[in-house]
Amino acid sequence: MQEITGHELSAKKAEYLKYIHMQGGTAKTSEIATHFSVAPSTVTKALTEIAKAGYLEHSPYHGVKLTPRGGDYARFLIRRHRIVALVLSRHGLEPDEACREAKKIEQYFSKDLTDRMCTSLGHPMMSVCGEIEHDHCCCPSSDGRR
């Protein structure tokens, strides 16, 4: 499997992937379009491109399902967002503001930088916007592997 860098998808496509993950790994095109206030045709085009990249299985008129690769990437994207928001909150931003500002800048943070920030924060379990997962990242697992 290809190593995650953190720059595989555009910011909007990354938001779609995170949303699908938060919906249990599946979603209908119309639900995504409604959530993001965009035309279904816009979502369909983006989902087709995300599927071609191997992150989704897309069935026209039925919706999408994350692939294992897509699930891994979505978990990384959510983890990155929460770590960036936590850093911002520790520098004076209110929780809601930290979450909004993180969304604006998170796509510029590589996986390496995200992992380094996580380490410097002591591998936190909670951010201002939710729990931080540490599977397959910079944090050693219980058996000492990363």
Side-chain angles (χ1 to χ4, degrees):
M1 186 183 294
Q2 189 177 9
E3 181 81 22
I4 292 172
T5 66
H7 304 293
E8 285 78 1
L9 296 175
S10 69
K12 182 53 85 177
K13 290 176 186 171
E15 288 300 314
Y16 291 169
L17 206 62
K18 289 191 303 188
Y19 176 78
I20 295 163
H21 177 73
M22 300 298 274
Q23 300 307 304
T26 61
K28 294 191 180 301
T29 303
S30 58
E31 295 167 350
I32 299 167
T34 299
H35 179 79
F36 289 98
S37 301
V38 296
S41 60
T42 301
V43 173
T44 298
K45 181 179 180 205
L47 295 177
T48 300
E49 292 170 5
I50 298 168
K52 284 181 185 176
Y55 299 107
L56 297 172
E57 294 174 7
H58 182 219
S59 299
Y61 307 106
H62 291 85
V64 292
K65 177 182 176 185
L66 291 173
T67 62
R69 181 178 177 204
D72 287 346
Y73 193 52
R75 281 188 296 280
F76 160 74
L77 293 169
I78 292 166
R79 178 176 162 267
R80 176 176 68 184
H81 171 81
R82 292 178 177 173
I83 289 170
V84 172
L86 181 59
V87 168
L88 294 174
S89 73
R90 290 190 176 182
H91 289 279
L93 277 68
E94 293 296 321
D96 287 347
E97 184 182 18
C99 189
R100 278 193 314 275
E101 293 299 322
K103 193 176 283 190
K104 293 176 188 176
I105 64 171
E106 64 195 35
Q107 70 272 11
Y108 298 107
F109 290 71
S110 68
K111 182 178 185 309
D112 180 58
L113 180 56
T114 302
D115 290 348
R116 291 167 79 184
M117 289 189 311
C118 183
T119 299
S120 74
L121 292 167
H123 307 291
M125 299 305 292
M126 188 61 73
S127 176
V128 295
C129 31
E131 186 177 340
I132 299 173
E133 282 189 45
H134 292 290
D135 294 344
H136 311 295
C137 72
C138 64
C139 309
S141 64
S142 59
D143 62 4
R145 292 183 296 145
R146 287 190 187 264

